[in-house]
Amino acid sequence: EMGVEDRILDQTLTKLIDYAVEKHQEDLNEINAKLRALEKEFEMTSEQFYEKFHRGELGDEDPFFRWDALIEMHRRVDQRLSILLRGSSL
């Protein structure tokens, strides 16, 4: 009887992790599209922007703050996705 409960629990957890991985990958794709649009608009990579923005070489225009926030969101979502993928392979 415990084997059945363990199998059901394992299946449920696997489905939850798969759902979370899929959601995070969708979020990353959406963020990446927004980052690419900003890179095209301002003709620099996000890495170049991030360095210049944090050195104070760019203005304090609204798009720059949104771009910075998107970069931070990307990092957080990517970290969570890495943790989920690492945990799902255990």
Side-chain angles (χ1 to χ4, degrees), residues 8 17 26 43-44 62 80:
I8 291 170
I17 290 171
E26 289 172 4
E43 299 179 343
M44 71 178 100
D62 188 54
R80 284 189 225 129

PDB file of all heavy atoms in Angstrom, residues 8 17 26 43-44 62 80:
ATOM      1  N   ILE A   8       2.361   7.553  -6.410  1.00  0.00           N
ATOM      2  CA  ILE A   8       1.459   8.675  -6.685  1.00  0.00           C
ATOM      3  C   ILE A   8       2.118   9.996  -6.297  1.00  0.00           C
ATOM      4  O   ILE A   8       2.046  10.981  -7.031  1.00  0.00           O
ATOM      5  CB  ILE A   8       0.113   8.483  -5.963  1.00  0.00           C
ATOM      6  CG1 ILE A   8      -0.646   7.319  -6.592  1.00  0.00           C
ATOM      7  CG2 ILE A   8      -0.722   9.756  -6.027  1.00  0.00           C
ATOM      8  CD1 ILE A   8      -1.870   6.886  -5.815  1.00  0.00           C
ATOM      9  N   ILE A  17       6.950  19.733 -10.925  1.00  0.00           N
ATOM     10  CA  ILE A  17       8.265  20.230 -11.339  1.00  0.00           C
ATOM     11  C   ILE A  17       8.265  20.482 -12.841  1.00  0.00           C
ATOM     12  O   ILE A  17       8.756  21.511 -13.310  1.00  0.00           O
ATOM     13  CB  ILE A  17       9.385  19.252 -10.922  1.00  0.00           C
ATOM     14  CG1 ILE A  17       9.547  19.272  -9.399  1.00  0.00           C
ATOM     15  CG2 ILE A  17      10.702  19.610 -11.610  1.00  0.00           C
ATOM     16  CD1 ILE A  17      10.458  18.197  -8.852  1.00  0.00           C
ATOM     17  N   GLU A  26       8.992  29.480 -20.420  1.00  0.00           N
ATOM     18  CA  GLU A  26       8.146  30.449 -21.125  1.00  0.00           C
ATOM     19  C   GLU A  26       8.461  31.866 -20.672  1.00  0.00           C
ATOM     20  O   GLU A  26       8.546  32.787 -21.498  1.00  0.00           O
ATOM     21  CB  GLU A  26       6.663  30.144 -20.879  1.00  0.00           C
ATOM     22  CG  GLU A  26       6.164  28.901 -21.565  1.00  0.00           C
ATOM     23  CD  GLU A  26       4.749  28.526 -21.150  1.00  0.00           C
ATOM     24  OE1 GLU A  26       4.104  29.281 -20.373  1.00  0.00           O
ATOM     25  OE2 GLU A  26       4.283  27.462 -21.589  1.00  0.00           O
ATOM     26  N   GLU A  43      20.907  49.705 -29.671  1.00  0.00           N
ATOM     27  CA  GLU A  43      22.111  49.263 -30.375  1.00  0.00           C
ATOM     28  C   GLU A  43      23.259  48.899 -29.442  1.00  0.00           C
ATOM     29  O   GLU A  43      24.397  49.334 -29.628  1.00  0.00           O
ATOM     30  CB  GLU A  43      22.537  50.317 -31.398  1.00  0.00           C
ATOM     31  CG  GLU A  43      21.494  50.571 -32.457  1.00  0.00           C
ATOM     32  CD  GLU A  43      21.904  51.626 -33.462  1.00  0.00           C
ATOM     33  OE1 GLU A  43      22.846  52.405 -33.182  1.00  0.00           O
ATOM     34  OE2 GLU A  43      21.268  51.678 -34.519  1.00  0.00           O
ATOM     35  N   MET A  44      22.944  48.108 -28.423  1.00  0.00           N
ATOM     36  CA  MET A  44      23.973  47.547 -27.543  1.00  0.00           C
ATOM     37  C   MET A  44      23.412  46.282 -26.899  1.00  0.00           C
ATOM     38  O   MET A  44      22.202  46.119 -26.806  1.00  0.00           O
ATOM     39  CB  MET A  44      24.433  48.552 -26.486  1.00  0.00           C
ATOM     40  CG  MET A  44      23.436  48.865 -25.387  1.00  0.00           C
ATOM     41  SD  MET A  44      24.100  50.008 -24.150  1.00  0.00           S
ATOM     42  CE  MET A  44      23.351  51.540 -24.705  1.00  0.00           C
ATOM     43  N   ASP A  62      13.259  56.199 -18.276  1.00  0.00           N
ATOM     44  CA  ASP A  62      12.417  55.069 -17.884  1.00  0.00           C
ATOM     45  C   ASP A  62      12.793  53.749 -18.576  1.00  0.00           C
ATOM     46  O   ASP A  62      12.859  52.716 -17.913  1.00  0.00           O
ATOM     47  CB  ASP A  62      10.943  55.412 -18.118  1.00  0.00           C
ATOM     48  CG  ASP A  62      10.020  54.355 -17.562  1.00  0.00           C
ATOM     49  OD1 ASP A  62      10.144  54.018 -16.364  1.00  0.00           O
ATOM     50  OD2 ASP A  62       9.179  53.857 -18.334  1.00  0.00           O
ATOM     51  N   ARG A  80      16.182  30.046 -10.743  1.00  0.00           N
ATOM     52  CA  ARG A  80      15.124  29.127 -10.317  1.00  0.00           C
ATOM     53  C   ARG A  80      15.013  27.935 -11.255  1.00  0.00           C
ATOM     54  O   ARG A  80      14.859  26.799 -10.813  1.00  0.00           O
ATOM     55  CB  ARG A  80      13.783  29.854 -10.228  1.00  0.00           C
ATOM     56  CG  ARG A  80      13.662  30.715  -9.014  1.00  0.00           C
ATOM     57  CD  ARG A  80      12.233  31.236  -8.885  1.00  0.00           C
ATOM     58  NE  ARG A  80      12.306  32.640  -8.575  1.00  0.00           N
ATOM     59  CZ  ARG A  80      11.679  33.620  -9.188  1.00  0.00           C
ATOM     60  NH1 ARG A  80      10.864  33.364 -10.173  1.00  0.00           N
ATOM     61  NH2 ARG A  80      11.836  34.856  -8.827  1.00  0.00           N
TER      62      ARG A  80
END
